[in-house]
Amino acid sequence: MQCFQELGRPTDEFSHVGFRDDGRYEIKCSLGHETATVLQQQKFEVLFDIGAHAILDGYYREAVSSFTSSLERFYEFALRVFLEQASKSEELFQNCWKKVANQSERQLGAFVFLWASNFGESPELLSNPQVSFRNEVIHKGKIPTSEEAVRYGNSVLGVLRPKMLALREQFAEEVSKVTFYHLRDCRSDSDNGKTVSTISISTIVSLTCGEISHHTMSLEEHLIRLSEWRKITGNS
Ligand SMILES: [Zn+2]
């Protein structure tokens, strides 16, 4: 951004960075400009992509773990949206979340009932065999095959994706508000006087992508696309 301001054009420089928990990416260009870039994507979107990368890299246990975390963080995101709708402020969510933050079963319970009260139906969740499979992988050290990891990823996609699209459609304003809170939380006090930009990347589960075909592709199709992207960017 600073190069652009000084030279009137971007320098076409690229940096490889690893995914970060705080969503902030601080980079120094060859001219010494320091910039911070904030990734707009929510945790659940990033975690699902990490799972896909893990499959491409041959880490199937890690893929199952990341897909599971993606779904859990999606439930959290949905709860934020519902509470934003109910209270028009973040405070109610924060106060409630403190009481369930360390127990994923409580979070799931909250999600089931708030989903039901907002959409008038009981949400479809992972099937019992998929839950047993996940527990064996995560708690009992099971080493899944590539096929098992892909099947599990597709199940997570089947649970998460339609709900994400339903939220986006029926709670558009609240989804933007929660996105705004996320971007705000990624800023830090040290940003004063620095150029901070926001970028949006295309993830497999994607709140921002408007193409219908993107949301109907299977995990296998996304893996092919991701693998091509890794070759183009020299990350394979
Ligand atoms: Zn620069």
Side-chain angles (χ1 to χ4, degrees):
M1 207 59 184
Q2 232 171 308
C3 278
F4 189 74
Q5 281 161 8
E6 287 175 20
L7 311 170
R9 58 178 172 79
T11 55
D12 291 335
E13 262 176 63
F14 289 92
S15 298
H16 283 154
V17 290
F19 283 117
R20 287 178 56 93
D21 193 61
D22 61 8
R24 285 174 62 81
Y25 298 84
E26 295 188 19
I27 292 159
K28 202 184 225 177
C29 80
S30 60
L31 297 179
H33 303 134
E34 286 175 32
T35 55
T37 302
V38 168
L39 189 58
Q40 183 175 323
Q41 274 56 46
Q42 298 286 332
K43 205 53 142 339
F44 71 89
E45 300 174 274
V46 172
L47 284 165
F48 196 92
D49 265 38
I50 290 177
H53 281 287
I55 288 184
L56 293 178
D57 291 332
Y59 293 106
Y60 308 124
R61 278 179 53 73
E62 286 73 7
V64 169
S65 163
S66 290
F67 291 145
T68 299
S69 298
S70 167
L71 187 56
E72 288 177 352
R73 296 291 56 85
F74 170 73
Y75 294 148
E76 177 185 347
F77 173 79
L79 291 172
R80 284 179 192 270
V81 169
F82 293 142
L83 274 279
E84 176 64 31
Q85 204 265 340
S87 68
K88 304 282 169 229
S89 114
E90 246 187 322
E91 205 186 339
L92 185 59
F93 171 81
Q94 299 293 358
N95 290 339
C96 295
W97 189 253
K98 277 183 210 144
K99 301 186 164 80
V100 303
N102 294 324
Q103 284 121 320
S104 61
E105 287 296 318
R106 286 187 181 180
Q107 296 162 17
L108 177 63
F111 171 79
V112 167
F113 284 93
L114 276 179
W115 184 273
S117 72
N118 279 283
F119 285 96
E121 61 180 29
S122 150
E124 200 182 306
L125 304 174
L126 287 179
S127 68
N128 287 335
Q130 290 292 4
V131 170
S132 310
F133 166 76
R134 174 200 71 197
N135 290 343
E136 277 181 42
V137 172
I138 292 177
H139 301 302
K140 296 180 189 165
K142 179 182 171 66
I143 302 171
T145 63
S146 152
E147 290 73 26
E148 285 171 324
V150 171
R151 196 181 314 138
Y152 179 76
N154 269 319
S155 303
V156 169
L157 209 48
V159 170
L160 196 166
R161 197 155 54 181
K163 294 181 184 60
M164 176 190 72
L165 295 175
L167 278 181
R168 190 172 82 171
E169 194 176 313
Q170 296 207 28
F171 295 88
E173 201 179 303
E174 290 76 14
V175 166
S176 321
K177 208 67 202 282
V178 173
T179 303
F180 166 79
Y181 295 146
H182 166 68
L183 291 173
R184 181 204 58 199
D185 292 345
C186 291
R187 306 289 292 247
S188 92
D189 294 342
S190 63
D191 286 343
N192 289 336
K194 254 198 234 165
T195 311
V196 180
S197 27
T198 300
I199 63 162
S200 181
I201 58 167
S202 172
T203 43
I204 296 173
V205 282
S206 172
L207 263 176
T208 47
C209 180
E211 280 171 57
I212 295 165
S213 61
H214 184 93
H215 301 292
T216 53
M217 278 163 69
S218 66
L219 177 55
E220 289 90 328
E221 290 170 306
H222 277 295
L223 286 173
I224 292 168
R225 196 183 265 197
L226 186 61
S227 155
E228 284 163 0
W229 175 248
R230 285 171 33 147
K231 278 180 204 141
I232 295 168
T233 55
N235 251 337
S236 52

mmCIF file of all heavy atoms in Angstrom, residues 79-100 114 181:
data_model
loop_
_atom_site.group_PDB
_atom_site.id
_atom_site.type_symbol
_atom_site.label_atom_id
_atom_site.label_comp_id
_atom_site.label_asym_id
_atom_site.label_seq_id
_atom_site.Cartn_x
_atom_site.Cartn_y
_atom_site.Cartn_z
ATOM 1 N N LEU A 79 -23.883 -18.269 16.922
ATOM 2 C CA LEU A 79 -24.378 -17.736 18.197
ATOM 3 C C LEU A 79 -24.148 -16.224 18.277
ATOM 4 O O LEU A 79 -24.993 -15.484 18.762
ATOM 5 C CB LEU A 79 -23.697 -18.448 19.374
ATOM 6 C CG LEU A 79 -24.095 -19.928 19.551
ATOM 7 C CD1 LEU A 79 -23.229 -20.601 20.609
ATOM 8 C CD2 LEU A 79 -25.565 -20.060 19.910
ATOM 9 N N ARG A 80 -23.012 -15.775 17.766
ATOM 10 C CA ARG A 80 -22.743 -14.329 17.730
ATOM 11 C C ARG A 80 -23.794 -13.611 16.893
ATOM 12 O O ARG A 80 -24.289 -12.547 17.271
ATOM 13 C CB ARG A 80 -21.370 -14.046 17.102
ATOM 14 C CG ARG A 80 -20.205 -14.318 18.000
ATOM 15 C CD ARG A 80 -18.892 -14.025 17.262
ATOM 16 N NE ARG A 80 -17.762 -14.546 17.993
ATOM 17 C CZ ARG A 80 -17.078 -13.858 18.910
ATOM 18 N NH1 ARG A 80 -17.390 -12.599 19.152
ATOM 19 N NH2 ARG A 80 -16.085 -14.416 19.559
ATOM 20 N N VAL A 81 -24.117 -14.211 15.744
ATOM 21 C CA VAL A 81 -25.100 -13.595 14.851
ATOM 22 C C VAL A 81 -26.480 -13.547 15.528
ATOM 23 O O VAL A 81 -27.157 -12.510 15.515
ATOM 24 C CB VAL A 81 -25.168 -14.374 13.506
ATOM 25 C CG1 VAL A 81 -26.358 -13.923 12.663
ATOM 26 C CG2 VAL A 81 -23.861 -14.198 12.732
ATOM 27 N N PHE A 82 -26.884 -14.651 16.151
ATOM 28 C CA PHE A 82 -28.199 -14.685 16.811
ATOM 29 C C PHE A 82 -28.287 -13.664 17.942
ATOM 30 O O PHE A 82 -29.292 -12.995 18.119
ATOM 31 C CB PHE A 82 -28.488 -16.083 17.373
ATOM 32 C CG PHE A 82 -28.680 -17.139 16.307
ATOM 33 C CD1 PHE A 82 -28.194 -18.428 16.489
ATOM 34 C CD2 PHE A 82 -29.351 -16.847 15.121
ATOM 35 C CE1 PHE A 82 -28.370 -19.408 15.514
ATOM 36 C CE2 PHE A 82 -29.530 -17.822 14.136
ATOM 37 C CZ PHE A 82 -29.034 -19.107 14.332
ATOM 38 N N LEU A 83 -27.203 -13.552 18.707
ATOM 39 C CA LEU A 83 -27.223 -12.627 19.839
ATOM 40 C C LEU A 83 -27.146 -11.173 19.376
ATOM 41 O O LEU A 83 -27.709 -10.289 20.009
ATOM 42 C CB LEU A 83 -26.087 -12.947 20.826
ATOM 43 C CG LEU A 83 -26.338 -13.997 21.907
ATOM 44 C CD1 LEU A 83 -27.092 -13.390 23.076
ATOM 45 C CD2 LEU A 83 -27.108 -15.210 21.413
ATOM 46 N N GLU A 84 -26.482 -10.953 18.247
ATOM 47 C CA GLU A 84 -26.444 -9.608 17.661
ATOM 48 C C GLU A 84 -27.870 -9.210 17.260
ATOM 49 O O GLU A 84 -28.310 -8.095 17.498
ATOM 50 C CB GLU A 84 -25.520 -9.613 16.432
ATOM 51 C CG GLU A 84 -25.455 -8.300 15.665
ATOM 52 C CD GLU A 84 -24.866 -7.148 16.472
ATOM 53 O OE1 GLU A 84 -24.013 -7.394 17.330
ATOM 54 O OE2 GLU A 84 -25.293 -5.989 16.230
ATOM 55 N N GLN A 85 -28.571 -10.168 16.700
ATOM 56 C CA GLN A 85 -29.944 -9.913 16.278
ATOM 57 C C GLN A 85 -30.829 -9.618 17.491
ATOM 58 O O GLN A 85 -31.657 -8.720 17.474
ATOM 59 C CB GLN A 85 -30.452 -11.140 15.508
ATOM 60 C CG GLN A 85 -31.577 -10.852 14.530
ATOM 61 C CD GLN A 85 -32.927 -11.115 15.149
ATOM 62 O OE1 GLN A 85 -33.024 -11.837 16.130
ATOM 63 N NE2 GLN A 85 -33.949 -10.513 14.574
ATOM 64 N N ALA A 86 -30.594 -10.377 18.551
ATOM 65 C CA ALA A 86 -31.434 -10.226 19.739
ATOM 66 C C ALA A 86 -31.150 -8.944 20.508
ATOM 67 O O ALA A 86 -32.056 -8.355 21.087
ATOM 68 C CB ALA A 86 -31.237 -11.428 20.661
ATOM 69 N N SER A 87 -29.878 -8.498 20.515
ATOM 70 C CA SER A 87 -29.540 -7.396 21.420
ATOM 71 C C SER A 87 -28.929 -6.180 20.742
ATOM 72 O O SER A 87 -28.783 -5.149 21.374
ATOM 73 C CB SER A 87 -28.540 -7.895 22.463
ATOM 74 O OG SER A 87 -27.305 -8.178 21.829
ATOM 75 N N LYS A 88 -28.534 -6.338 19.443
ATOM 76 C CA LYS A 88 -27.872 -5.239 18.716
ATOM 77 C C LYS A 88 -26.609 -4.770 19.424
ATOM 78 O O LYS A 88 -26.208 -3.613 19.309
ATOM 79 C CB LYS A 88 -28.812 -4.031 18.515
ATOM 80 C CG LYS A 88 -30.111 -4.363 17.821
ATOM 81 C CD LYS A 88 -29.920 -4.522 16.335
ATOM 82 C CE LYS A 88 -31.152 -5.113 15.676
ATOM 83 N NZ LYS A 88 -30.879 -6.228 14.781
ATOM 84 N N SER A 89 -26.020 -5.639 20.206
ATOM 85 C CA SER A 89 -24.750 -5.274 20.849
ATOM 86 C C SER A 89 -23.966 -6.551 21.108
ATOM 87 O O SER A 89 -24.523 -7.629 21.179
ATOM 88 C CB SER A 89 -25.009 -4.507 22.144
ATOM 89 O OG SER A 89 -24.580 -5.255 23.253
ATOM 90 N N GLU A 90 -22.656 -6.380 21.255
ATOM 91 C CA GLU A 90 -21.811 -7.544 21.456
ATOM 92 C C GLU A 90 -21.819 -8.022 22.896
ATOM 93 O O GLU A 90 -21.396 -9.123 23.188
ATOM 94 C CB GLU A 90 -20.375 -7.075 21.202
ATOM 95 C CG GLU A 90 -19.706 -7.637 20.049
ATOM 96 C CD GLU A 90 -18.259 -7.162 20.090
ATOM 97 O OE1 GLU A 90 -18.000 -6.002 20.458
ATOM 98 O OE2 GLU A 90 -17.404 -7.982 19.751
ATOM 99 N N GLU A 91 -22.284 -7.135 23.763
ATOM 100 C CA GLU A 91 -22.108 -7.372 25.189
ATOM 101 C C GLU A 91 -22.828 -8.630 25.663
ATOM 102 O O GLU A 91 -22.284 -9.433 26.417
ATOM 103 C CB GLU A 91 -22.623 -6.149 25.941
ATOM 104 C CG GLU A 91 -21.991 -5.973 27.283
ATOM 105 C CD GLU A 91 -22.630 -4.834 28.046
ATOM 106 O OE1 GLU A 91 -23.265 -3.947 27.416
ATOM 107 O OE2 GLU A 91 -22.514 -4.846 29.292
ATOM 108 N N LEU A 92 -24.052 -8.807 25.191
ATOM 109 C CA LEU A 92 -24.837 -9.963 25.626
ATOM 110 C C LEU A 92 -24.123 -11.251 25.223
ATOM 111 O O LEU A 92 -24.008 -12.188 26.016
ATOM 112 C CB LEU A 92 -26.239 -9.905 25.004
ATOM 113 C CG LEU A 92 -27.227 -10.971 25.460
ATOM 114 C CD1 LEU A 92 -27.446 -10.928 26.964
ATOM 115 C CD2 LEU A 92 -28.565 -10.798 24.726
ATOM 116 N N PHE A 93 -23.625 -11.269 23.990
ATOM 117 C CA PHE A 93 -22.894 -12.456 23.545
ATOM 118 C C PHE A 93 -21.693 -12.701 24.451
ATOM 119 O O PHE A 93 -21.480 -13.813 24.930
ATOM 120 C CB PHE A 93 -22.434 -12.331 22.089
ATOM 121 C CG PHE A 93 -21.497 -13.448 21.707
ATOM 122 C CD1 PHE A 93 -21.994 -14.682 21.352
ATOM 123 C CD2 PHE A 93 -20.113 -13.283 21.769
ATOM 124 C CE1 PHE A 93 -21.135 -15.744 21.057
ATOM 125 C CE2 PHE A 93 -19.253 -14.327 21.480
ATOM 126 C CZ PHE A 93 -19.767 -15.557 21.118
ATOM 127 N N GLN A 94 -20.893 -11.656 24.683
ATOM 128 C CA GLN A 94 -19.674 -11.812 25.486
ATOM 129 C C GLN A 94 -19.988 -12.337 26.878
ATOM 130 O O GLN A 94 -19.299 -13.229 27.376
ATOM 131 C CB GLN A 94 -18.921 -10.473 25.607
ATOM 132 C CG GLN A 94 -18.450 -9.886 24.279
ATOM 133 C CD GLN A 94 -17.373 -10.714 23.594
ATOM 134 O OE1 GLN A 94 -16.928 -11.737 24.115
ATOM 135 N NE2 GLN A 94 -16.959 -10.298 22.403
ATOM 136 N N ASN A 95 -21.037 -11.810 27.476
ATOM 137 C CA ASN A 95 -21.392 -12.239 28.833
ATOM 138 C C ASN A 95 -21.824 -13.702 28.870
ATOM 139 O O ASN A 95 -21.496 -14.437 29.798
ATOM 140 C CB ASN A 95 -22.508 -11.356 29.408
ATOM 141 C CG ASN A 95 -21.992 -9.959 29.710
ATOM 142 O OD1 ASN A 95 -20.778 -9.759 29.870
ATOM 143 N ND2 ASN A 95 -22.890 -8.991 29.755
ATOM 144 N N CYS A 96 -22.579 -14.120 27.857
ATOM 145 C CA CYS A 96 -23.023 -15.517 27.819
ATOM 146 C C CYS A 96 -21.862 -16.447 27.471
ATOM 147 O O CYS A 96 -21.735 -17.538 28.023
ATOM 148 C CB CYS A 96 -24.133 -15.699 26.778
ATOM 149 S SG CYS A 96 -25.633 -14.823 27.169
ATOM 150 N N TRP A 97 -21.027 -15.991 26.521
ATOM 151 C CA TRP A 97 -19.948 -16.857 26.043
ATOM 152 C C TRP A 97 -18.990 -17.241 27.162
ATOM 153 O O TRP A 97 -18.498 -18.364 27.230
ATOM 154 C CB TRP A 97 -19.208 -16.182 24.881
ATOM 155 C CG TRP A 97 -18.242 -17.108 24.216
ATOM 156 C CD1 TRP A 97 -16.885 -17.079 24.306
ATOM 157 C CD2 TRP A 97 -18.569 -18.220 23.378
ATOM 158 N NE1 TRP A 97 -16.341 -18.103 23.568
ATOM 159 C CE2 TRP A 97 -17.356 -18.824 22.991
ATOM 160 C CE3 TRP A 97 -19.766 -18.779 22.916
ATOM 161 C CZ2 TRP A 97 -17.295 -19.945 22.165
ATOM 162 C CZ3 TRP A 97 -19.711 -19.896 22.100
ATOM 163 C CH2 TRP A 97 -18.497 -20.463 21.727
ATOM 164 N N LYS A 98 -18.753 -16.275 28.074
ATOM 165 C CA LYS A 98 -17.854 -16.557 29.201
ATOM 166 C C LYS A 98 -18.287 -17.823 29.947
ATOM 167 O O LYS A 98 -17.475 -18.542 30.494
ATOM 168 C CB LYS A 98 -17.892 -15.385 30.193
ATOM 169 C CG LYS A 98 -16.987 -14.241 29.800
ATOM 170 C CD LYS A 98 -17.039 -13.156 30.869
ATOM 171 C CE LYS A 98 -16.807 -11.800 30.212
ATOM 172 N NZ LYS A 98 -17.585 -10.728 30.826
ATOM 173 N N LYS A 99 -19.582 -18.061 29.977
ATOM 174 C CA LYS A 99 -20.106 -19.196 30.757
ATOM 175 C C LYS A 99 -19.976 -20.524 30.022
ATOM 176 O O LYS A 99 -20.155 -21.581 30.628
ATOM 177 C CB LYS A 99 -21.576 -18.941 31.112
ATOM 178 C CG LYS A 99 -21.769 -17.668 31.927
ATOM 179 C CD LYS A 99 -23.204 -17.509 32.392
ATOM 180 C CE LYS A 99 -23.349 -16.492 33.505
ATOM 181 N NZ LYS A 99 -23.364 -15.103 33.028
ATOM 182 N N VAL A 100 -19.741 -20.479 28.711
ATOM 183 C CA VAL A 100 -19.667 -21.744 27.953
ATOM 184 C C VAL A 100 -18.351 -21.900 27.187
ATOM 185 O O VAL A 100 -18.150 -22.891 26.489
ATOM 186 C CB VAL A 100 -20.846 -21.868 26.949
ATOM 187 C CG1 VAL A 100 -22.187 -21.776 27.659
ATOM 188 C CG2 VAL A 100 -20.760 -20.830 25.826
ATOM 189 N N LEU A 114 -30.890 -22.223 19.819
ATOM 190 C CA LEU A 114 -31.031 -20.899 19.187
ATOM 191 C C LEU A 114 -31.318 -21.046 17.700
ATOM 192 O O LEU A 114 -32.064 -20.253 17.119
ATOM 193 C CB LEU A 114 -29.793 -20.039 19.423
ATOM 194 C CG LEU A 114 -29.804 -19.311 20.765
ATOM 195 C CD1 LEU A 114 -28.545 -18.497 20.932
ATOM 196 C CD2 LEU A 114 -31.016 -18.391 20.877
ATOM 197 N N TYR A 181 -16.945 -6.550 13.836
ATOM 198 C CA TYR A 181 -16.335 -6.778 15.157
ATOM 199 C C TYR A 181 -15.019 -7.554 14.999
ATOM 200 O O TYR A 181 -14.032 -7.276 15.665
ATOM 201 C CB TYR A 181 -17.254 -7.603 16.074
ATOM 202 C CG TYR A 181 -18.553 -6.930 16.453
ATOM 203 C CD1 TYR A 181 -19.722 -7.681 16.633
ATOM 204 C CD2 TYR A 181 -18.628 -5.558 16.648
ATOM 205 C CE1 TYR A 181 -20.917 -7.087 16.993
ATOM 206 C CE2 TYR A 181 -19.830 -4.944 17.002
ATOM 207 C CZ TYR A 181 -20.975 -5.722 17.178
ATOM 208 O OH TYR A 181 -22.156 -5.127 17.525
#
